[in-house]
């Protein structure tokens, strides 16, 4: 008889028990709510055009990005899963202009949740990797309707972070501040099963991910680093590098967790005034927590991502350099020199 393995639900309960008297079932319930949303999204992503969910809408999100049908569907699935069970006090989504307060009469919990419900949604139409990213923060005590200011906490205050990758198989990768673990969705029983315990990022790498079409807009330190990578064994870095780019942060970071590498979305001349390209609450902080918990490093080029002080804008942007620790430190040396 085949052994089932550790389910995500039982893993979360075991983690809760380690906290002893400090733990309550509310946190476990919250993560289960997020899991339900991710399962619903996985089901639709796997069906693709058979479910009529491909293509764009006529709307844009808060950042001016054209929204895909699945952006809105995934956003609604997260909201539906989180607003009814009394585990969540408020939400912030990349797809919404403002933070979301719960309807009157809905029970309030002690946690705030931020999420990018479908990272890389442009990949849906070509059947490539997409995913959901989420972060959990403590809610302010005694406040029924948290505001954007209550979400404005540095990444060091995150309680948990994770993502769900929808690829050849669906995987949930989660950290509660005690390492990183990966769970694969078993469709036959509808459960995430622990398949990648204690994920660790190799400290060294010869692989980088960056959108090279933006090269002319990069700052000199990034220009110089990539130019040195391209020179290979004959260049100052003394080794051959490979470049990867799948246009979905979830896919890039998952590859780095599995085999190492660095992911760069640096500040450039087109986004300097707004601070960068990726969102601090929905992408930068949760992915930085995951990467650091797996032994990697996450930096803006000017400081640790999780120490960036939020400015109160739920859509604040930051530059991102994260992945294998020694390679990130090498990139930071270019910034210091220049």
């Amino acid at each position: 008889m085949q052994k089932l393995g550790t389910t995500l639900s039982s893993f979360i309960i075991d983690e809760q028990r380690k906290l002893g008297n400090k733990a309550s079932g509310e946190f476990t319930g919250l993560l289960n709510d997020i899991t339900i949303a991710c399962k619903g999204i996985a089901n639709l992503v796997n069906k693709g055009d058979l479910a009529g969910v491909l293509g764009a809408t006529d709307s844009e999100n808060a950042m001016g990005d054209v929204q895909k049908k699945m952006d809105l569907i995934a956003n609604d699935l997260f909201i539906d899963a989180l607003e009814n069970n009394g585990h969540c006090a408020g939400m912030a989504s990349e797809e919404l202009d403002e933070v979301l307060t719960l309807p009157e009469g809905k029970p309030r919990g002690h946690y705030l949740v931020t999420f990018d419900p479908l990272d890389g949604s442009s990949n849906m139409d070509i059947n490539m990797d997409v995913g959901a990213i989420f972060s959990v923060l403590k809610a302010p005590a005694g406040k029924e309707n948290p505001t954007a200011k209550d979400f404005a906490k540095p990444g060091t205050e995150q309680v948990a972070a994770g993502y769900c990758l929808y690829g050849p198989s669906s995987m949930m990768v989660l950290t509660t501040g005690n390492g990183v673990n990966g769970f694969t969705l078993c469709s036959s029983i509808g459960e995430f099963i622990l398949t990648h315990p204690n994920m660790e990022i190799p400290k060294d790498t010869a692989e980088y991910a960056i959108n090279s079409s933006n090269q002319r807009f990069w700052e000199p330190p990034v220009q110089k680093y990539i130019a040195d990578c391209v020179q290979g064994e004959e260049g100052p870095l003394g080794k051959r590098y490979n470049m990867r780019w799948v246009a979905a942060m979830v896919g890039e970071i998952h590859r780095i967790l599995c085999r190492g590498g660095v992911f760069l979305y640096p500040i450039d001349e087109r986004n300097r005034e707004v601070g960068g390209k990726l969102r601090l609450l929905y992408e930068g902080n949760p992915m930085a927590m995951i990467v650091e918990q797996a032994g990697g490093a996450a930096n803006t080029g000017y400081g640790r991502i999780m120490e960036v002080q939020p400015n109160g804008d739920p859509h604040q942007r930051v530059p991102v350099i994260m992945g294998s620790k020694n390679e990130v430190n090498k990139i930071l040396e270019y910034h210091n020199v220049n």
Side-chain angles (χ1 to χ4, degrees):
M1 181 177 179
Q2 183 178 356
K3 187 176 180 181
L4 177 62
T6 302
T7 66
L8 176 57
S9 298
S10 61
F11 179 87
I12 294 170
I13 292 170
D14 286 342
E15 288 294 296
Q16 176 183 299
R17 289 194 185 109
K18 294 176 184 177
L19 298 175
N21 294 331
K22 298 179 182 179
S24 73
E26 186 178 328
F27 181 62
T28 298
L30 178 74
L31 294 180
N32 281 329
D33 294 341
I34 293 171
T35 300
I36 289 170
C38 291
K39 288 179 182 178
I41 297 168
N43 180 53
L44 292 174
V45 169
N46 289 340
K47 291 178 179 176
D49 212 20
L50 295 174
V53 296
L54 300 187
T57 68
D58 295 327
S59 61
E60 296 181 347
N61 65 15
M63 294 290 99
D65 300 325
V66 174
Q67 292 175 309
K68 299 290 187 177
K69 292 179 183 177
M70 268 303 298
D71 283 320
L72 301 181
I73 294 169
N75 190 65
D76 287 343
L77 286 171
F78 261 93
I79 293 171
D80 290 345
L82 288 166
E83 71 176 2
N84 293 308
N85 296 326
H87 305 137
C88 179
M91 295 170 248
S93 167
E94 184 176 300
E95 300 303 326
L96 300 176
D97 293 345
E98 306 292 340
V99 300
L100 183 68
T101 55
L102 301 185
E104 187 175 350
K106 295 286 187 181
R108 268 65 171 168
H110 296 89
Y111 297 97
L112 304 175
V113 181
T114 74
F115 51 88
D116 179 353
L118 199 67
D119 175 66
S121 57
S122 60
N123 283 347
M124 275 283 296
D125 293 343
I126 55 173
N127 200 27
M128 286 184 64
D129 291 348
V130 294
I133 308 170
F134 60 89
S135 170
V136 179
L137 298 161
K138 282 287 187 69
K143 192 169 185 179
E144 183 170 344
N145 293 314
T147 64
K149 184 177 179 181
D150 299 308
F151 286 82
K153 299 177 181 180
T156 51
E157 295 192 30
Q158 292 174 108
V159 177
Y163 64 80
C164 193
L165 173 70
Y166 311 115
S169 60
S170 294
M171 280 194 66
M172 175 81 76
V173 174
L174 175 69
T175 180
T176 57
N178 186 30
V180 178
N181 294 276
F183 305 80
T184 301
L185 182 60
C186 176
S187 58
S188 62
I189 63 170
E191 289 282 357
F192 283 99
I193 307 297
L194 179 63
T195 52
H196 294 66
N198 302 315
M199 300 178 78
E200 293 186 3
I201 298 173
K203 289 183 169 53
D204 295 296
T205 187
E207 194 166 86
Y208 65 90
I210 194 168
N211 186 350
S212 288
S213 67
N214 297 328
Q215 181 174 359
R216 64 193 182 279
F217 303 112
W218 298 336
E219 291 183 317
V222 177
Q223 292 261 12
K224 183 67 166 61
Y225 168 72
I226 297 299
D228 288 350
C229 289
V230 171
Q231 291 184 58
E233 297 93 333
E234 291 75 28
L237 298 178
K239 60 182 176 181
R240 179 178 178 178
Y241 281 78
N242 288 321
M243 193 194 89
R244 298 288 184 266
W245 187 252
V246 298
M249 191 181 189
V250 165
E252 308 288 2
I253 298 305
H254 190 73
R255 183 184 60 251
I256 288 169
L257 277 170
C258 291
R259 70 185 193 200
V262 286
F263 169 75
L264 300 92
Y265 216 122
I267 200 165
D268 66 39
E269 294 309 317
R270 299 169 305 163
N271 59 41
R272 182 176 300 280
E273 289 188 4
V274 295
K277 175 66 175 177
L278 301 182
R279 286 73 166 177
L280 178 64
L281 288 186
Y282 314 115
E283 297 161 320
N285 274 339
M287 287 304 203
M289 183 178 183
I290 293 166
V291 166
E292 288 193 6
Q293 283 291 315
N299 206 283
T300 65
Y302 303 94
R304 186 182 175 207
I305 289 175
M306 289 207 296
E307 292 179 353
V308 172
Q309 183 59 50
N311 60 16
D313 176 5
H315 297 282
Q316 178 180 350
R317 303 191 190 202
V318 289
V320 168
I321 302 169
M322 62 174 64
S324 295
K325 180 175 287 187
N326 289 345
E327 198 68 23
V328 171
N329 289 338
K330 190 180 298 180
I331 298 169
L332 296 181
E333 290 175 5
Y334 280 77
H335 285 75
N336 291 335
V337 168
N338 291 278

